[in-house]
Amino acid sequence: MKNIQVLIDSLPTNKLEATNYRINEAEMERLGDNEIRVKTIAFAITAGTRAGLQGSASYAGAPTAGRVMNATGVGEVVESNDTRLSVGDRVLGPLGWQSYSEHRAEALNKIDSKRNPEDYLGPLGVNGLTAYFGLLSVARPKAGELVMVSAAAGSVGHLVGQMARIKECQVLGVMGSDSKGEILKNQLGFDTVVNYKDPNYRQSLKEATEPGVDVYFDNTGGMILGSALFRMNVGGRIACCGVVSQYDTNSPEPGPKGIPGLLVNKRLEMKGFVVFDFEDRYEEARSEISGWMDSGKLISLVDGVSGLDAAPDAFVDLLAGGNIGTRVVRVSPD
Amino acid sequence: MKNIQVLIDSLPTNKLEATNYRINEAEMERLGDNEIRVKTIAFAITAGTRAGLQGSASYAGAPTAGRVMNATGVGEVVESNDTRLSVGDRVLGPLGWQSYSEHRAEALNKIDSKRNPEDYLGPLGVNGLTAYFGLLSVARPKAGELVMVSAAAGSVGHLVGQMARIKECQVLGVMGSDSKGEILKNQLGFDTVVNYKDPNYRQSLKEATEPGVDVYFDNTGGMILGSALFRMNVGGRIACCGVVSQYDTNSPEPGPKGIPGLLVNKRLEMKGFVVFDFEDRYEEARSEISGWMDSGKLISLVDGVSGLDAAPDAFVDLLAGGNIGTRVVRVSPD
């Protein structure tokens, strides 16, 4: 039996291209002691993994040429040498861009087989938990406040906006196409949207943010962060989640103007976070999020493509803003 | 009787010059109902007032050509039409660069006549309160942590470093001359100092901040903030107090690189503050600070000049980093 893999062929020197990847067929080896073999159902592609391809990471397992591309995926246990997981169990874990993978039980999380496994790549997975903790624990909006979110149609952003609505905030989404904006307003209940590619973006943002922004959930950094700083209210909070504007380049921009001057004048708090710091509260969060999904308050938008060989183009397209919701690659769907 | 005043003659177009000011002799008018006349003993010059000269402020009383230059000062009541203050009382208030001024009682704070009035321009005044709340309430260092402070020999910085020592932190001061650094180490107990004008600054900072900075108290913004960001530990806190590197110019720099990327990766918190937000806790703070002064734990460095006509040059020199400690202009000393 063969394992189909997508390997990193070369690290990108500037913008990522599909040719930075290549398909590989590997022989499946005998499963080791205490190992578990998982057949990939689907995996998510997220902008954050682009940062790992910048070549400066030095941790064990860092993405580099010749390795299988990293991704969080959902799969089914097909072989197990650990009593903690059995054949047929559904799991969430670092499966990568491949049809099969081998893990220790500690690296996998058993998921509820009755749910659509793709929920664990969206609201119940890293994206949903990132939205949840970044918004509720880091940015801490109060009912009635104006919450602005960038990359608002993205895998994290579309959930942030809905969670802010659930918390009775006004929600402004910033995204890069008007058609995305329509979906955010009509399907997900965003109050207002602004297209950052519009030549009148600054003026539109100003009008959409009267009388000012209380919370800004920043997925992009760069120009949009800069524009948000000028619209923040005194005492506003900025949750720094990601820097998608700066991942797909070899020459990152300088920081936005007004730092630290605007932080002082407006007593702003800017706080970076990574979701893994909240690991001990994942179950509590998943319970609340699944409640919102079950009652129809939270909708998971999935932007799926089929087949491992579609993954490189899907990633390049994602970095250009092509996705609406969570980009999922379906490898071996139900 | 004449009132000698220093007026703003013109707003600076780039760097502030002494010629932006002119001396004026005004007739003293009859004191109005409920007004109090104060004879200036001394006033402080602080970098922050340079920001008010950039011409964008629109509030009532904003500095503009023809007005008396603004400053916080200490003085003695010489005439009073309000029973709340009597002739001979010592007060702290917005006296300005002039020998006499008239106020409502609400604008003045009675001070302890047994103390050196200059203490109220340093540790017991805005500078000391800024250091106290910025360090202890905003940055929140724990014993044993490394606290870095920029403009460390300045009116706020030299107090921040000593307060951090009192809280059993390691203290690193960044300043612009080696002679200032010697005073910080030898007189004020800073553990290490780094001169940002040194061509090897980045390397010296790296060596002085092993194994990383936990708290950075930022008085400068600009390059020093940028250098600090790269030395912060995971979970570090940055208190944004002032932007002295950007005040005396008409072309502010862009923000430092690494914002927001480093904030995310290192889970940093950056928080701007203004001391007036802590007004309801001033008395509690003054009580603790005067205790530190009385027990010799906190030393107030005063860099004084004599006479109103020395004020413009003293301000220009301050913006070039000429002062060590609080710059005070003595108008009519005891």
Side-chain angles (χ1 to χ4, degrees):
Chain A
M1 201 166 58
K2 300 280 189 187
N3 183 17
I4 312 298
Q5 305 177 312
V6 182
L7 304 185
I8 301 167
D9 194 43
S10 56
L11 291 178
T13 50
N14 191 1
K15 282 194 177 298
L16 183 79
E17 296 177 27
T19 54
N20 290 118
Y21 293 96
R22 66 182 164 91
I23 299 282
N24 184 51
E25 285 196 16
E27 284 299 327
M28 207 97 88
E29 292 178 22
R30 194 180 147 274
L31 191 65
D33 291 347
N34 303 313
E35 283 193 341
I36 291 146
R37 179 161 286 146
V38 177
K39 183 181 182 190
T40 307
I41 298 171
F43 58 82
I45 298 187
T46 56
T49 51
R50 175 64 181 84
L53 298 173
Q54 287 175 336
S56 55
S58 58
Y59 56 92
T64 179
R67 283 187 188 271
V68 175
M69 178 62 189
N70 57 303
T72 299
V74 285
E76 190 167 304
V77 174
V78 291
E79 208 182 332
S80 176
N81 287 335
D82 189 309
T83 53
R84 287 175 283 178
L85 286 168
S86 314
V87 171
D89 283 348
R90 295 278 175 88
V91 292
L92 176 70
L95 308 190
W97 293 14
Q98 57 191 340
S99 48
Y100 291 93
S101 52
E102 294 76 37
H103 307 270
R104 295 279 172 163
E106 302 81 60
L108 301 172
N109 281 289
K110 194 171 164 178
I111 62 175
D112 183 348
S113 299
K114 294 189 292 294
R115 282 207 169 266
N116 179 347
E118 291 184 4
D119 288 349
Y120 289 91
L121 302 178
L124 300 178
V126 168
N127 293 320
L129 296 166
T130 298
Y132 183 93
F133 290 109
L135 184 69
L136 304 182
S137 296
V138 179
R140 312 179 309 280
K142 298 193 246 320
E145 288 191 327
L146 177 57
V147 174
M148 170 174 167
V149 54
S150 59
S155 53
V156 172
H158 85 286
L159 300 173
V160 169
Q162 293 181 81
M163 290 178 189
R165 291 286 303 139
I166 289 169
K167 296 296 178 182
E168 296 173 30
C169 298
Q170 295 289 303
V171 177
L172 165 69
V174 176
M175 68 291 127
S177 86
D178 292 340
S179 60
K180 287 181 183 178
E182 288 304 305
I183 291 171
L184 296 180
K185 282 206 295 188
N186 299 335
Q187 290 188 33
L188 305 186
F190 281 55
D191 296 288
T192 43
V193 294
V194 183
N195 183 343
Y196 75 89
K197 291 181 181 166
D198 187 322
N200 296 318
Y201 166 66
R202 288 267 182 169
Q203 182 60 31
S204 304
L205 181 71
K206 192 175 171 199
E207 289 163 12
T209 55
E210 294 297 351
V213 174
D214 302 297
V215 159
Y216 172 50
F217 192 108
D218 184 31
N219 287 309
T220 55
M223 180 278 283
I224 304 176
L225 169 58
S227 69
L229 279 166
F230 281 88
R231 299 299 307 150
M232 296 300 291
N233 283 330
V234 167
R237 288 133 278 147
I238 300 176
C240 300
C241 176
V243 198
V244 67
S245 72
Q246 308 299 303
Y247 292 146
D248 199 23
T249 172
N250 56 1
S251 55
E253 295 176 59
K257 281 199 186 194
I259 287 187
L262 289 171
L263 301 189
V264 178
N265 293 345
K266 298 183 177 185
R267 299 82 139 161
L268 301 181
E269 176 184 301
M270 248 182 121
K271 199 164 174 179
F273 74 100
V274 300
V275 69
F276 310 107
D277 290 338
F278 297 91
E279 210 159 5
D280 56 343
R281 293 172 54 199
Y282 280 3
E283 281 319 305
E284 157 202 338
R286 283 201 173 104
S287 159
E288 188 162 20
I289 296 167
S290 53
W292 291 334
M293 295 178 76
D294 295 344
S295 63
K297 285 184 185 166
L298 189 79
I299 295 167
S300 170
L301 288 187
V302 174
D303 190 333
V305 300
S306 288
L308 274 166
D309 50 0
D313 282 320
F315 194 11
V316 170
D317 179 63
L318 174 107
L319 292 169
N323 62 307
I324 301 185
T326 308
R327 176 137 288 177
V328 165
V329 178
R330 292 167 182 143
V331 180
S332 172
D334 285 325
Chain B
M1 203 165 54
K2 300 280 187 187
N3 184 16
I4 313 297
Q5 305 177 312
V6 182
L7 305 185
I8 302 167
D9 194 42
S10 57
L11 291 178
T13 50
N14 191 1
K15 281 192 177 299
L16 182 79
E17 296 176 28
T19 54
N20 290 119
Y21 293 96
R22 67 183 164 90
I23 299 280
N24 184 52
E25 286 196 13
E27 285 299 328
M28 207 95 87
E29 294 179 20
R30 193 179 147 274
L31 192 65
D33 290 347
N34 302 312
E35 283 194 341
I36 292 146
R37 179 162 285 147
V38 177
K39 183 181 184 189
T40 307
I41 298 172
F43 58 84
I45 298 186
T46 56
T49 51
R50 174 64 180 87
L53 298 173
Q54 288 175 335
S56 56
S58 57
Y59 56 91
T64 180
R67 284 186 188 272
V68 175
M69 179 61 189
N70 56 304
T72 299
V74 285
E76 189 167 306
V77 175
V78 291
E79 208 181 334
S80 176
N81 287 337
D82 189 308
T83 54
R84 287 174 284 178
L85 286 167
S86 313
V87 170
D89 283 347
R90 294 280 176 88
V91 291
L92 176 70
L95 308 190
W97 292 13
Q98 55 191 339
S99 48
Y100 292 93
S101 52
E102 295 75 37
H103 307 270
R104 296 278 172 162
E106 301 81 60
L108 301 172
N109 281 289
K110 194 171 166 179
I111 61 175
D112 182 349
S113 299
K114 292 189 293 294
R115 282 208 168 264
N116 180 346
E118 293 184 3
D119 288 350
Y120 289 91
L121 302 178
L124 300 178
V126 168
N127 293 321
L129 295 166
T130 298
Y132 183 93
F133 290 108
L135 184 69
L136 305 182
S137 295
V138 179
R140 312 179 309 280
K142 298 191 246 322
E145 287 191 328
L146 177 58
V147 174
M148 169 173 169
V149 54
S150 60
S155 54
V156 172
H158 85 286
L159 300 173
V160 169
Q162 293 181 82
M163 290 179 190
R165 290 287 304 139
I166 289 169
K167 296 295 179 183
E168 297 173 30
C169 298
Q170 296 289 304
V171 177
L172 164 69
V174 175
M175 70 289 128
S177 86
D178 292 340
S179 61
K180 288 181 182 178
E182 288 303 307
I183 290 171
L184 296 180
K185 281 207 295 188
N186 299 337
Q187 289 188 33
L188 305 186
F190 280 56
D191 297 287
T192 43
V193 294
V194 182
N195 184 343
Y196 75 88
K197 291 181 180 164
D198 187 323
N200 296 318
Y201 166 66
R202 287 266 182 169
Q203 182 59 31
S204 304
L205 181 71
K206 192 175 172 198
E207 288 163 12
T209 56
E210 293 297 351
V213 175
D214 302 298
V215 159
Y216 171 50
F217 192 107
D218 184 32
N219 287 310
T220 54
M223 181 278 283
I224 304 176
L225 170 58
S227 70
L229 279 167
F230 282 87
R231 298 300 306 151
M232 297 300 292
N233 283 330
V234 167
R237 287 133 278 148
I238 300 176
C240 300
C241 176
V243 197
V244 67
S245 72
Q246 308 298 304
Y247 291 147
D248 199 23
T249 172
N250 57 1
S251 56
E253 293 177 60
K257 279 199 186 195
I259 288 189
L262 289 170
L263 301 188
V264 178
N265 293 346
K266 298 183 177 185
R267 296 85 138 164
L268 301 180
E269 176 183 301
M270 245 182 124
K271 199 164 173 178
F273 74 100
V274 300
V275 69
F276 310 107
D277 291 338
F278 297 92
E279 208 159 6
D280 56 343
R281 293 172 55 200
Y282 281 2
E283 281 319 305
E284 156 202 338
R286 283 200 173 103
S287 159
E288 188 163 19
I289 296 168
S290 52
W292 292 332
M293 295 178 76
D294 295 344
S295 64
K297 285 184 185 167
L298 189 80
I299 294 167
S300 171
L301 288 187
V302 174
D303 190 335
V305 299
S306 288
L308 273 166
D309 50 0
D313 281 320
F315 195 12
V316 170
D317 179 62
L318 173 105
L319 292 170
N323 61 307
I324 301 186
T326 307
R327 176 136 288 178
V328 164
V329 178
R330 293 168 181 140
V331 180
S332 171
D334 284 325

